[in-house]
């Protein structure tokens, strides 16, 4: 049979214990939070790497990436060459009111133009202002942390191993050619015989 008022006494005891402990509240924004290194804040754009391939916009499940571009003709680099056309980025915008921060756009980008930034202070009073254009995405690019250092015990990537082997083979061929040139016998210079007719 419970004692009447025991629940109230337990609740008051919990309250008194909590009152004597120090609060862990962070005084934001005076004290900025310590974010994990792989925090998914916003998406930064490095537009020099963007080739307007549209992969990020096509793969986005929310269709929140807007890209506009036009084609420019590049003159031939050498005489007799042909002109080429390339895509020029006019607009790159992300609607963060639709974005669900899945990171698919960053994963599918083949040219490393999109990166996660830990920046999170981009709240707006109007939902229409959550569509950020490429200038703002470019500013967030400079807040992207540097990638972690490679594990020294990790296996060497295949591309680097192939390039290193090709460089070593080229150096060995150049050294062998230099050694062969140094060992080749030199023909002594022969003096032209003088004849009495030539002396006369």
């Amino acid at each position: 049979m419970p004692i009447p008022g025991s629940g109230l006494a337990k609740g008051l005891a919990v309250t008194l214990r909590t009152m004597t402990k120090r609060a862990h509240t962070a005084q934001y924004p005076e004290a900025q939070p310590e974010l994990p290194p792989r925090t998914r804040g916003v998406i930064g754009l490095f537009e020099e790497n963007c080739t307007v391939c549209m992969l990020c916009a096509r793969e986005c499940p929310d269709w929140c990436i807007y890209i506009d571009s036009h084609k420019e003709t590049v003159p031939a680099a050498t005489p007799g060459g042909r002109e080429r056309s390339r895509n020029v980025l006019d607009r790159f915008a992300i609607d963060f009111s639709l974005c669900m921060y899945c990171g698919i756009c960053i994963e599918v980008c083949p040219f490393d133009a999109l990166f996660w930034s830990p920046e999170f202070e981009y709240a707006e009073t109007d939902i229409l202002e959550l569509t950020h254009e490429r200038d703002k995405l470019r500013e967030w690019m400079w807040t992207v942390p540097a990638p972690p250092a490679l594990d020294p015990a990790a296996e060497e990537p295949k591309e680097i191993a192939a390039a290193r082997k090709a460089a070593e083979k080229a150096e060995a061929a150049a050294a062998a050619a230099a050694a062969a040139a140094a060992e080749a016998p030199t023909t002594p210079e022969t003096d032209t015989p003088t004849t009495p007719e030539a002396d006369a």
Side-chain angles (χ1 to χ4, degrees), residues 28-113:
Y28 177 83
E30 288 79 12
Q32 292 289 326
E34 294 184 6
L35 301 173
R38 297 183 65 189
T39 299
R40 293 188 175 189
V42 290
I43 298 169
L45 170 68
F46 191 58
E47 60 182 274
E48 282 81 0
N49 286 357
C50 183
T51 61
V52 200
C53 65
M54 304 292 287
L55 270 176
C56 54
R58 285 200 299 264
E59 297 296 328
C60 178
D62 290 334
W63 293 87
C64 64
I65 300 176
Y66 311 115
I67 300 175
D68 292 330
S69 66
H70 69 277
K71 288 190 178 291
E72 277 187 2
T73 302
V74 180
T78 57
R82 66 182 181 91
E83 295 180 342
R84 298 182 179 273
S85 64
R86 68 182 181 94
N87 292 323
V88 178
L89 184 65
D90 292 329
R91 184 190 183 208
F92 195 108
I94 299 177
D95 187 353
F96 285 99
S97 67
L98 296 176
C99 180
M100 63 180 184
Y101 304 92
C102 62
I104 291 176
C105 57
I106 297 172
E107 293 175 8
V108 301
C109 180
F111 302 105
D112 289 336

